[in-house]
Amino acid sequence: MTEIVGRLAPSPTGALHVGHARSFLLAWWHARSRGGRVVLRIEDLDRERVKPGATDLVLRDLEWLGLDWDGPMLRQSEDEEPLRAAVAELLERGSVYPCFCTRREIALSAPHVTDGEVRYPGTCRGRFASAADGERELGRAPGLRLAVEPGELALEDGFVGPFTSDVEREVGDFQVQRRDGALAYQLAVVVHDARQGVTEVLRGRDLLSSSARQWLLQEHLGLPHPTWYHVPVVVDEGGARLAKRRGDATLVELRERRVDPRALVAWVARSSGVNAPDRIGARDALEGFRLDAVPKEDVVFGARERAALG
Ligand SMILES: [Zn+2]
């Protein structure tokens, strides 16, 4: 039997909210309840979006929830070497090509949008004989995009079940390295998942659409595919997903209000099919947790739920 390795992968781009707490608890319960390990990774590669001090805050949030992890935490920003090596490998295999387009040029040329993402129309595929030629002609450095073949991928999710995705139609050739040299999120995720030996990825359903891109990168790099579990997300009374930028129901705020973390854990447990008392520690919910008992619908966290935490 292979070892089970789950992961917590917060991004320190703002305060974590109740939706993150639920996903992290589910990931932790799913791995730990089956004797698995849990590793921690800080997804801080996007320097423009990382907030100073947010990593410390995230660590405090995880500890407040009663979650622990095995081995040293990995900060993506401090482990770029393997990402650069992966880019070099993709270049060598001819899986990626240089793209000189600015964000504005792409937005103008591609009105087709999926989930707020603009589809890249393949403008630079075969456009120049070499990256140096393009740089000379346009006077700017290129990023790199994975050349995606058209067609539907049939994939499997441990929670959602089978699903299909057509990356070429949905987002087109996608970036693995930006024009400023920054490495793309999708690349970092697959390389670091492999480096940390992650065998399962449990996260919010809002990330389901990025799975196919990650699957493709894993194929190109010869990396194993972890099992995915895309779980329902937490929404407000109006059905909108909680969002960092709106400052929704943050754990910092709950801590400041002196809410007992065990009350929040109990709410998550009960909304996840665990028969739990009003207050329960993360570890105490392990025994009653089963992923297949988690309801398939999104969970509402509104004024009533907030007040009930005390
Ligand atoms: Zn381009």
mmCIF file of all heavy atoms in Angstrom, residues 128-177:
data_model
loop_
_atom_site.group_PDB
_atom_site.id
_atom_site.type_symbol
_atom_site.label_atom_id
_atom_site.label_comp_id
_atom_site.label_asym_id
_atom_site.label_seq_id
_atom_site.Cartn_x
_atom_site.Cartn_y
_atom_site.Cartn_z
ATOM 1 N N PHE A 128 7.707 33.120 -34.465
ATOM 2 C CA PHE A 128 9.111 33.460 -34.730
ATOM 3 C C PHE A 128 9.944 32.184 -34.793
ATOM 4 O O PHE A 128 9.610 31.192 -34.141
ATOM 5 C CB PHE A 128 9.666 34.369 -33.630
ATOM 6 C CG PHE A 128 8.962 35.697 -33.527
ATOM 7 C CD1 PHE A 128 8.054 35.934 -32.503
ATOM 8 C CD2 PHE A 128 9.198 36.700 -34.463
ATOM 9 C CE1 PHE A 128 7.393 37.153 -32.414
ATOM 10 C CE2 PHE A 128 8.536 37.918 -34.378
ATOM 11 C CZ PHE A 128 7.634 38.149 -33.351
ATOM 12 N N ALA A 129 11.016 32.247 -35.582
ATOM 13 C CA ALA A 129 11.888 31.074 -35.696
ATOM 14 C C ALA A 129 12.560 30.769 -34.368
ATOM 15 O O ALA A 129 12.802 29.614 -34.016
ATOM 16 C CB ALA A 129 12.938 31.310 -36.776
ATOM 17 N N SER A 130 12.854 31.825 -33.588
ATOM 18 C CA SER A 130 13.458 31.605 -32.267
ATOM 19 C C SER A 130 13.035 32.731 -31.338
ATOM 20 O O SER A 130 12.558 33.776 -31.796
ATOM 21 C CB SER A 130 14.988 31.588 -32.380
ATOM 22 O OG SER A 130 15.447 32.915 -32.630
ATOM 23 N N ALA A 131 13.239 32.513 -30.026
ATOM 24 C CA ALA A 131 12.896 33.548 -29.053
ATOM 25 C C ALA A 131 13.727 34.805 -29.307
ATOM 26 O O ALA A 131 13.234 35.931 -29.179
ATOM 27 C CB ALA A 131 13.132 33.029 -27.636
ATOM 28 N N ALA A 132 14.994 34.585 -29.706
ATOM 29 C CA ALA A 132 15.881 35.732 -29.954
ATOM 30 C C ALA A 132 15.354 36.583 -31.120
ATOM 31 O O ALA A 132 15.387 37.815 -31.056
ATOM 32 C CB ALA A 132 17.297 35.236 -30.253
ATOM 33 N N ASP A 133 14.837 35.918 -32.147
ATOM 34 C CA ASP A 133 14.251 36.653 -33.279
ATOM 35 C C ASP A 133 13.106 37.541 -32.820
ATOM 36 O O ASP A 133 12.996 38.706 -33.214
ATOM 37 C CB ASP A 133 13.696 35.666 -34.328
ATOM 38 C CG ASP A 133 14.807 35.101 -35.188
ATOM 39 O OD1 ASP A 133 15.968 35.497 -34.975
ATOM 40 O OD2 ASP A 133 14.506 34.255 -36.057
ATOM 41 N N GLY A 134 12.253 36.983 -32.012
ATOM 42 C CA GLY A 134 11.092 37.730 -31.519
ATOM 43 C C GLY A 134 11.513 38.904 -30.666
ATOM 44 O O GLY A 134 10.973 40.007 -30.786
ATOM 45 N N GLU A 135 12.490 38.661 -29.807
ATOM 46 C CA GLU A 135 12.982 39.729 -28.927
ATOM 47 C C GLU A 135 13.560 40.877 -29.743
ATOM 48 O O GLU A 135 13.335 42.044 -29.437
ATOM 49 C CB GLU A 135 14.049 39.166 -27.979
ATOM 50 C CG GLU A 135 13.498 38.895 -26.596
ATOM 51 C CD GLU A 135 14.568 38.483 -25.596
ATOM 52 O OE1 GLU A 135 14.873 37.281 -25.570
ATOM 53 O OE2 GLU A 135 15.067 39.351 -24.858
ATOM 54 N N ARG A 136 14.297 40.513 -30.790
ATOM 55 C CA ARG A 136 14.915 41.533 -31.644
ATOM 56 C C ARG A 136 13.826 42.353 -32.342
ATOM 57 O O ARG A 136 13.862 43.572 -32.374
ATOM 58 C CB ARG A 136 15.819 40.856 -32.676
ATOM 59 C CG ARG A 136 17.063 41.665 -33.007
ATOM 60 C CD ARG A 136 18.028 40.875 -33.891
ATOM 61 N NE ARG A 136 18.428 39.593 -33.320
ATOM 62 C CZ ARG A 136 18.253 38.404 -33.913
ATOM 63 N NH1 ARG A 136 17.675 38.308 -35.088
ATOM 64 N NH2 ARG A 136 18.677 37.306 -33.322
ATOM 65 N N GLU A 137 12.819 41.661 -32.840
ATOM 66 C CA GLU A 137 11.785 42.365 -33.603
ATOM 67 C C GLU A 137 10.870 43.215 -32.719
ATOM 68 O O GLU A 137 10.498 44.327 -33.083
ATOM 69 C CB GLU A 137 10.954 41.353 -34.396
ATOM 70 C CG GLU A 137 10.003 42.042 -35.359
ATOM 71 C CD GLU A 137 9.253 41.055 -36.256
ATOM 72 O OE1 GLU A 137 9.857 40.046 -36.659
ATOM 73 O OE2 GLU A 137 8.077 41.309 -36.538
ATOM 74 N N LEU A 138 10.518 42.680 -31.531
ATOM 75 C CA LEU A 138 9.529 43.373 -30.695
ATOM 76 C C LEU A 138 10.151 44.187 -29.567
ATOM 77 O O LEU A 138 9.486 45.013 -28.942
ATOM 78 C CB LEU A 138 8.542 42.358 -30.100
ATOM 79 C CG LEU A 138 7.719 41.593 -31.145
ATOM 80 C CD1 LEU A 138 6.922 40.483 -30.482
ATOM 81 C CD2 LEU A 138 6.770 42.533 -31.888
ATOM 82 N N GLY A 139 11.438 43.939 -29.302
ATOM 83 C CA GLY A 139 12.107 44.711 -28.267
ATOM 84 C C GLY A 139 11.616 44.428 -26.863
ATOM 85 O O GLY A 139 11.670 45.279 -25.993
ATOM 86 N N ARG A 140 11.113 43.229 -26.636
ATOM 87 C CA ARG A 140 10.744 42.836 -25.266
ATOM 88 C C ARG A 140 10.931 41.340 -25.063
ATOM 89 O O ARG A 140 10.979 40.575 -26.029
ATOM 90 C CB ARG A 140 9.311 43.252 -24.951
ATOM 91 C CG ARG A 140 8.272 42.683 -25.883
ATOM 92 C CD ARG A 140 6.885 43.246 -25.537
ATOM 93 N NE ARG A 140 5.852 42.575 -26.293
ATOM 94 C CZ ARG A 140 4.958 43.196 -27.045
ATOM 95 N NH1 ARG A 140 4.958 44.512 -27.138
ATOM 96 N NH2 ARG A 140 4.014 42.521 -27.678
ATOM 97 N N ALA A 141 11.056 40.970 -23.774
ATOM 98 C CA ALA A 141 11.320 39.565 -23.441
ATOM 99 C C ALA A 141 10.020 38.763 -23.468
ATOM 100 O O ALA A 141 8.954 39.296 -23.166
ATOM 101 C CB ALA A 141 11.954 39.478 -22.062
ATOM 102 N N PRO A 142 10.112 37.477 -23.829
ATOM 103 C CA PRO A 142 8.905 36.651 -23.853
ATOM 104 C C PRO A 142 8.645 35.934 -22.537
ATOM 105 O O PRO A 142 9.549 35.746 -21.726
ATOM 106 C CB PRO A 142 9.249 35.615 -24.938
ATOM 107 C CG PRO A 142 10.723 35.432 -24.800
ATOM 108 C CD PRO A 142 11.295 36.748 -24.324
ATOM 109 N N GLY A 143 7.399 35.508 -22.358
ATOM 110 C CA GLY A 143 7.073 34.504 -21.358
ATOM 111 C C GLY A 143 7.053 33.158 -22.064
ATOM 112 O O GLY A 143 7.481 33.048 -23.214
ATOM 113 N N LEU A 144 6.581 32.120 -21.367
ATOM 114 C CA LEU A 144 6.500 30.799 -21.993
ATOM 115 C C LEU A 144 5.106 30.218 -21.810
ATOM 116 O O LEU A 144 4.505 30.348 -20.734
ATOM 117 C CB LEU A 144 7.530 29.855 -21.353
ATOM 118 C CG LEU A 144 9.002 30.156 -21.636
ATOM 119 C CD1 LEU A 144 9.878 29.295 -20.737
ATOM 120 C CD2 LEU A 144 9.329 29.931 -23.113
ATOM 121 N N ARG A 145 4.611 29.588 -22.860
ATOM 122 C CA ARG A 145 3.295 28.941 -22.798
ATOM 123 C C ARG A 145 3.398 27.477 -23.199
ATOM 124 O O ARG A 145 4.155 27.126 -24.105
ATOM 125 C CB ARG A 145 2.317 29.635 -23.747
ATOM 126 C CG ARG A 145 1.889 30.985 -23.242
ATOM 127 C CD ARG A 145 0.846 31.629 -24.146
ATOM 128 N NE ARG A 145 0.524 32.944 -23.643
ATOM 129 C CZ ARG A 145 -0.403 33.192 -22.721
ATOM 130 N NH1 ARG A 145 -1.133 32.200 -22.237
ATOM 131 N NH2 ARG A 145 -0.597 34.412 -22.282
ATOM 132 N N LEU A 146 2.600 26.657 -22.533
ATOM 133 C CA LEU A 146 2.528 25.240 -22.893
ATOM 134 C C LEU A 146 1.644 25.103 -24.128
ATOM 135 O O LEU A 146 0.533 25.634 -24.158
ATOM 136 C CB LEU A 146 1.927 24.428 -21.741
ATOM 137 C CG LEU A 146 2.035 22.914 -21.919
ATOM 138 C CD1 LEU A 146 3.381 22.427 -21.389
ATOM 139 C CD2 LEU A 146 0.920 22.178 -21.211
ATOM 140 N N ALA A 147 2.146 24.410 -25.129
ATOM 141 C CA ALA A 147 1.339 24.149 -26.329
ATOM 142 C C ALA A 147 0.334 23.046 -26.007
ATOM 143 O O ALA A 147 0.716 21.923 -25.687
ATOM 144 C CB ALA A 147 2.246 23.727 -27.479
ATOM 145 N N VAL A 148 -0.952 23.398 -26.049
ATOM 146 C CA VAL A 148 -2.002 22.460 -25.636
ATOM 147 C C VAL A 148 -2.694 21.892 -26.875
ATOM 148 O O VAL A 148 -3.108 22.636 -27.763
ATOM 149 C CB VAL A 148 -3.045 23.179 -24.747
ATOM 150 C CG1 VAL A 148 -4.162 22.217 -24.349
ATOM 151 C CG2 VAL A 148 -2.372 23.755 -23.502
ATOM 152 N N GLU A 149 -2.812 20.570 -26.923
ATOM 153 C CA GLU A 149 -3.522 19.932 -28.040
ATOM 154 C C GLU A 149 -5.024 20.065 -27.835
ATOM 155 O O GLU A 149 -5.499 20.009 -26.708
ATOM 156 C CB GLU A 149 -3.150 18.441 -28.114
ATOM 157 C CG GLU A 149 -1.674 18.190 -28.377
ATOM 158 C CD GLU A 149 -1.144 19.003 -29.553
ATOM 159 O OE1 GLU A 149 -1.814 19.058 -30.597
ATOM 160 O OE2 GLU A 149 -0.067 19.614 -29.419
ATOM 161 N N PRO A 150 -5.779 20.241 -28.914
ATOM 162 C CA PRO A 150 -7.232 20.316 -28.761
ATOM 163 C C PRO A 150 -7.808 18.966 -28.352
ATOM 164 O O PRO A 150 -7.182 17.928 -28.581
ATOM 165 C CB PRO A 150 -7.721 20.728 -30.155
ATOM 166 C CG PRO A 150 -6.597 20.473 -31.088
ATOM 167 C CD PRO A 150 -5.335 20.410 -30.298
ATOM 168 N N GLY A 151 -8.985 19.018 -27.745
ATOM 169 C CA GLY A 151 -9.665 17.772 -27.378
ATOM 170 C C GLY A 151 -9.980 17.709 -25.902
ATOM 171 O O GLY A 151 -9.365 18.398 -25.091
ATOM 172 N N GLU A 152 -10.968 16.870 -25.577
ATOM 173 C CA GLU A 152 -11.410 16.751 -24.188
ATOM 174 C C GLU A 152 -10.581 15.734 -23.434
ATOM 175 O O GLU A 152 -10.269 14.665 -23.955
ATOM 176 C CB GLU A 152 -12.871 16.305 -24.161
ATOM 177 C CG GLU A 152 -13.813 17.464 -24.062
ATOM 178 C CD GLU A 152 -15.221 17.061 -23.671
ATOM 179 O OE1 GLU A 152 -15.538 15.862 -23.651
ATOM 180 O OE2 GLU A 152 -15.998 17.989 -23.399
ATOM 181 N N LEU A 153 -10.234 16.088 -22.207
ATOM 182 C CA LEU A 153 -9.580 15.141 -21.311
ATOM 183 C C LEU A 153 -10.651 14.561 -20.402
ATOM 184 O O LEU A 153 -11.479 15.306 -19.875
ATOM 185 C CB LEU A 153 -8.566 15.861 -20.423
ATOM 186 C CG LEU A 153 -7.254 16.340 -21.035
ATOM 187 C CD1 LEU A 153 -6.493 17.137 -19.983
ATOM 188 C CD2 LEU A 153 -6.435 15.147 -21.501
ATOM 189 N N ALA A 154 -10.622 13.254 -20.225
ATOM 190 C CA ALA A 154 -11.543 12.618 -19.283
ATOM 191 C C ALA A 154 -10.769 12.355 -17.999
ATOM 192 O O ALA A 154 -9.817 11.581 -17.994
ATOM 193 C CB ALA A 154 -12.086 11.321 -19.866
ATOM 194 N N LEU A 155 -11.158 13.039 -16.923
ATOM 195 C CA LEU A 155 -10.431 12.945 -15.664
ATOM 196 C C LEU A 155 -11.341 12.435 -14.555
ATOM 197 O O LEU A 155 -12.558 12.343 -14.724
ATOM 198 C CB LEU A 155 -9.843 14.314 -15.296
ATOM 199 C CG LEU A 155 -8.889 14.914 -16.339
ATOM 200 C CD1 LEU A 155 -8.532 16.346 -15.981
ATOM 201 C CD2 LEU A 155 -7.633 14.061 -16.463
ATOM 202 N N GLU A 156 -10.723 12.132 -13.429
ATOM 203 C CA GLU A 156 -11.467 11.533 -12.319
ATOM 204 C C GLU A 156 -11.205 12.346 -11.057
ATOM 205 O O GLU A 156 -10.083 12.747 -10.799
ATOM 206 C CB GLU A 156 -10.960 10.085 -12.144
ATOM 207 C CG GLU A 156 -11.643 9.268 -11.096
ATOM 208 C CD GLU A 156 -13.082 8.883 -11.448
ATOM 209 O OE1 GLU A 156 -13.399 8.765 -12.644
ATOM 210 O OE2 GLU A 156 -13.873 8.714 -10.495
ATOM 211 N N ASP A 157 -12.252 12.598 -10.313
ATOM 212 C CA ASP A 157 -12.117 13.301 -9.037
ATOM 213 C C ASP A 157 -12.717 12.408 -7.955
ATOM 214 O O ASP A 157 -13.800 11.853 -8.142
ATOM 215 C CB ASP A 157 -12.866 14.637 -9.114
ATOM 216 C CG ASP A 157 -12.706 15.462 -7.848
ATOM 217 O OD1 ASP A 157 -13.384 15.164 -6.835
ATOM 218 O OD2 ASP A 157 -11.899 16.401 -7.853
ATOM 219 N N GLY A 158 -12.002 12.274 -6.850
ATOM 220 C CA GLY A 158 -12.433 11.376 -5.785
ATOM 221 C C GLY A 158 -13.708 11.821 -5.092
ATOM 222 O O GLY A 158 -14.362 11.033 -4.414
ATOM 223 N N PHE A 159 -14.082 13.070 -5.239
ATOM 224 C CA PHE A 159 -15.317 13.557 -4.617
ATOM 225 C C PHE A 159 -16.391 13.831 -5.660
ATOM 226 O O PHE A 159 -17.533 13.420 -5.516
ATOM 227 C CB PHE A 159 -15.033 14.833 -3.812
ATOM 228 C CG PHE A 159 -16.200 15.268 -2.957
ATOM 229 C CD1 PHE A 159 -16.443 14.686 -1.718
ATOM 230 C CD2 PHE A 159 -17.069 16.254 -3.402
ATOM 231 C CE1 PHE A 159 -17.520 15.075 -0.942
ATOM 232 C CE2 PHE A 159 -18.151 16.651 -2.626
ATOM 233 C CZ PHE A 159 -18.384 16.058 -1.389
ATOM 234 N N VAL A 160 -16.007 14.510 -6.737
ATOM 235 C CA VAL A 160 -16.955 14.920 -7.778
ATOM 236 C C VAL A 160 -17.301 13.752 -8.704
ATOM 237 O O VAL A 160 -18.397 13.680 -9.247
ATOM 238 C CB VAL A 160 -16.353 16.090 -8.591
ATOM 239 C CG1 VAL A 160 -17.217 16.468 -9.777
ATOM 240 C CG2 VAL A 160 -16.137 17.308 -7.685
ATOM 241 N N GLY A 161 -16.340 12.830 -8.885
ATOM 242 C CA GLY A 161 -16.524 11.750 -9.840
ATOM 243 C C GLY A 161 -15.847 12.084 -11.157
ATOM 244 O O GLY A 161 -14.996 12.963 -11.210
ATOM 245 N N PRO A 162 -16.223 11.416 -12.246
ATOM 246 C CA PRO A 162 -15.587 11.703 -13.530
ATOM 247 C C PRO A 162 -15.979 13.090 -14.047
ATOM 248 O O PRO A 162 -17.101 13.526 -13.819
ATOM 249 C CB PRO A 162 -16.141 10.617 -14.468
ATOM 250 C CG PRO A 162 -17.054 9.778 -13.662
ATOM 251 C CD PRO A 162 -17.249 10.387 -12.324
ATOM 252 N N PHE A 163 -15.048 13.761 -14.677
ATOM 253 C CA PHE A 163 -15.370 15.046 -15.302
ATOM 254 C C PHE A 163 -14.489 15.220 -16.529
ATOM 255 O O PHE A 163 -13.482 14.530 -16.676
ATOM 256 C CB PHE A 163 -15.193 16.213 -14.323
ATOM 257 C CG PHE A 163 -13.771 16.490 -13.913
ATOM 258 C CD1 PHE A 163 -13.041 17.532 -14.488
ATOM 259 C CD2 PHE A 163 -13.138 15.715 -12.944
ATOM 260 C CE1 PHE A 163 -11.732 17.794 -14.110
ATOM 261 C CE2 PHE A 163 -11.825 15.960 -12.564
ATOM 262 C CZ PHE A 163 -11.120 17.003 -13.144
ATOM 263 N N THR A 164 -14.922 16.100 -17.423
ATOM 264 C CA THR A 164 -14.125 16.329 -18.628
ATOM 265 C C THR A 164 -13.705 17.786 -18.699
ATOM 266 O O THR A 164 -14.341 18.664 -18.112
ATOM 267 C CB THR A 164 -14.919 15.993 -19.907
ATOM 268 O OG1 THR A 164 -16.077 16.833 -19.933
ATOM 269 C CG2 THR A 164 -15.310 14.539 -19.968
ATOM 270 N N SER A 165 -12.612 18.012 -19.404
ATOM 271 C CA SER A 165 -12.113 19.373 -19.550
ATOM 272 C C SER A 165 -11.395 19.493 -20.882
ATOM 273 O O SER A 165 -10.671 18.590 -21.279
ATOM 274 C CB SER A 165 -11.163 19.678 -18.393
ATOM 275 O OG SER A 165 -10.728 21.016 -18.485
ATOM 276 N N ASP A 166 -11.650 20.593 -21.566
ATOM 277 C CA ASP A 166 -10.980 20.866 -22.831
ATOM 278 C C ASP A 166 -10.148 22.135 -22.646
ATOM 279 O O ASP A 166 -10.643 23.247 -22.794
ATOM 280 C CB ASP A 166 -12.018 21.045 -23.939
ATOM 281 C CG ASP A 166 -11.379 21.213 -25.310
ATOM 282 O OD1 ASP A 166 -10.210 21.660 -25.382
ATOM 283 O OD2 ASP A 166 -12.042 20.896 -26.311
ATOM 284 N N VAL A 167 -8.897 21.943 -22.271
ATOM 285 C CA VAL A 167 -8.038 23.079 -21.900
ATOM 286 C C VAL A 167 -7.840 24.022 -23.076
ATOM 287 O O VAL A 167 -7.864 25.239 -22.937
ATOM 288 C CB VAL A 167 -6.673 22.573 -21.366
ATOM 289 C CG1 VAL A 167 -5.747 23.745 -21.046
ATOM 290 C CG2 VAL A 167 -6.876 21.710 -20.128
ATOM 291 N N GLU A 168 -7.688 23.438 -24.257
ATOM 292 C CA GLU A 168 -7.436 24.257 -25.444
ATOM 293 C C GLU A 168 -8.611 25.199 -25.686
ATOM 294 O O GLU A 168 -8.438 26.376 -25.993
ATOM 295 C CB GLU A 168 -7.204 23.334 -26.650
ATOM 296 C CG GLU A 168 -6.421 23.968 -27.784
ATOM 297 C CD GLU A 168 -7.319 24.746 -28.733
ATOM 298 O OE1 GLU A 168 -8.510 24.396 -28.874
ATOM 299 O OE2 GLU A 168 -6.820 25.721 -29.317
ATOM 300 N N ARG A 169 -9.809 24.698 -25.510
ATOM 301 C CA ARG A 169 -11.004 25.516 -25.740
ATOM 302 C C ARG A 169 -11.244 26.486 -24.572
ATOM 303 O O ARG A 169 -11.665 27.614 -24.766
ATOM 304 C CB ARG A 169 -12.222 24.602 -25.914
ATOM 305 C CG ARG A 169 -13.489 25.309 -26.393
ATOM 306 C CD ARG A 169 -14.563 24.294 -26.800
ATOM 307 N NE ARG A 169 -14.758 23.245 -25.812
ATOM 308 C CZ ARG A 169 -15.473 23.406 -24.694
ATOM 309 N NH1 ARG A 169 -16.062 24.541 -24.435
ATOM 310 N NH2 ARG A 169 -15.603 22.404 -23.836
ATOM 311 N N GLU A 170 -10.945 26.035 -23.353
ATOM 312 C CA GLU A 170 -11.264 26.855 -22.175
ATOM 313 C C GLU A 170 -10.257 27.985 -21.940
ATOM 314 O O GLU A 170 -10.654 29.120 -21.708
ATOM 315 C CB GLU A 170 -11.353 25.963 -20.921
ATOM 316 C CG GLU A 170 -12.605 25.092 -20.914
ATOM 317 C CD GLU A 170 -12.465 23.856 -20.037
ATOM 318 O OE1 GLU A 170 -11.525 23.807 -19.210
ATOM 319 O OE2 GLU A 170 -13.285 22.932 -20.183
ATOM 320 N N VAL A 171 -8.987 27.675 -21.957
ATOM 321 C CA VAL A 171 -7.985 28.723 -21.688
ATOM 322 C C VAL A 171 -6.900 28.814 -22.761
ATOM 323 O O VAL A 171 -6.115 29.755 -22.776
ATOM 324 C CB VAL A 171 -7.309 28.547 -20.296
ATOM 325 C CG1 VAL A 171 -8.304 28.761 -19.184
ATOM 326 C CG2 VAL A 171 -6.632 27.203 -20.183
ATOM 327 N N GLY A 172 -6.834 27.817 -23.627
ATOM 328 C CA GLY A 172 -5.815 27.833 -24.675
ATOM 329 C C GLY A 172 -4.437 27.487 -24.116
ATOM 330 O O GLY A 172 -4.307 26.945 -23.018
ATOM 331 N N ASP A 173 -3.404 27.782 -24.888
ATOM 332 C CA ASP A 173 -2.029 27.557 -24.423
ATOM 333 C C ASP A 173 -1.812 28.441 -23.195
ATOM 334 O O ASP A 173 -1.971 29.656 -23.265
ATOM 335 C CB ASP A 173 -1.036 27.946 -25.527
ATOM 336 C CG ASP A 173 -1.215 27.084 -26.780
ATOM 337 O OD1 ASP A 173 -1.797 25.986 -26.671
ATOM 338 O OD2 ASP A 173 -0.781 27.530 -27.862
ATOM 339 N N PHE A 174 -1.463 27.838 -22.079
ATOM 340 C CA PHE A 174 -1.407 28.639 -20.843
ATOM 341 C C PHE A 174 0.035 28.882 -20.399
ATOM 342 O O PHE A 174 0.962 28.144 -20.757
ATOM 343 C CB PHE A 174 -2.236 27.992 -19.728
ATOM 344 C CG PHE A 174 -1.808 26.593 -19.364
ATOM 345 C CD1 PHE A 174 -0.858 26.369 -18.374
ATOM 346 C CD2 PHE A 174 -2.345 25.490 -20.013
ATOM 347 C CE1 PHE A 174 -0.462 25.102 -18.033
ATOM 348 C CE2 PHE A 174 -1.946 24.194 -19.686
ATOM 349 C CZ PHE A 174 -1.006 24.004 -18.700
ATOM 350 N N GLN A 175 0.197 29.928 -19.611
ATOM 351 C CA GLN A 175 1.525 30.373 -19.196
ATOM 352 C C GLN A 175 2.171 29.441 -18.176
ATOM 353 O O GLN A 175 1.510 29.005 -17.234
ATOM 354 C CB GLN A 175 1.408 31.744 -18.523
ATOM 355 C CG GLN A 175 1.648 32.897 -19.468
ATOM 356 C CD GLN A 175 1.639 34.227 -18.753
ATOM 357 O OE1 GLN A 175 1.026 34.377 -17.715
ATOM 358 N NE2 GLN A 175 2.316 35.184 -19.322
ATOM 359 N N VAL A 176 3.445 29.173 -18.350
ATOM 360 C CA VAL A 176 4.212 28.535 -17.278
ATOM 361 C C VAL A 176 5.242 29.517 -16.720
ATOM 362 O O VAL A 176 5.749 29.349 -15.614
ATOM 363 C CB VAL A 176 4.905 27.228 -17.728
ATOM 364 C CG1 VAL A 176 3.878 26.196 -18.186
ATOM 365 C CG2 VAL A 176 5.921 27.466 -18.812
ATOM 366 N N GLN A 177 5.539 30.538 -17.514
ATOM 367 C CA GLN A 177 6.432 31.596 -17.021
ATOM 368 C C GLN A 177 5.964 32.915 -17.606
ATOM 369 O O GLN A 177 5.676 33.016 -18.798
ATOM 370 C CB GLN A 177 7.881 31.303 -17.438
ATOM 371 C CG GLN A 177 8.893 32.250 -16.815
ATOM 372 C CD GLN A 177 10.319 31.856 -17.159
ATOM 373 O OE1 GLN A 177 10.706 30.701 -17.070
ATOM 374 N NE2 GLN A 177 11.107 32.817 -17.578
#
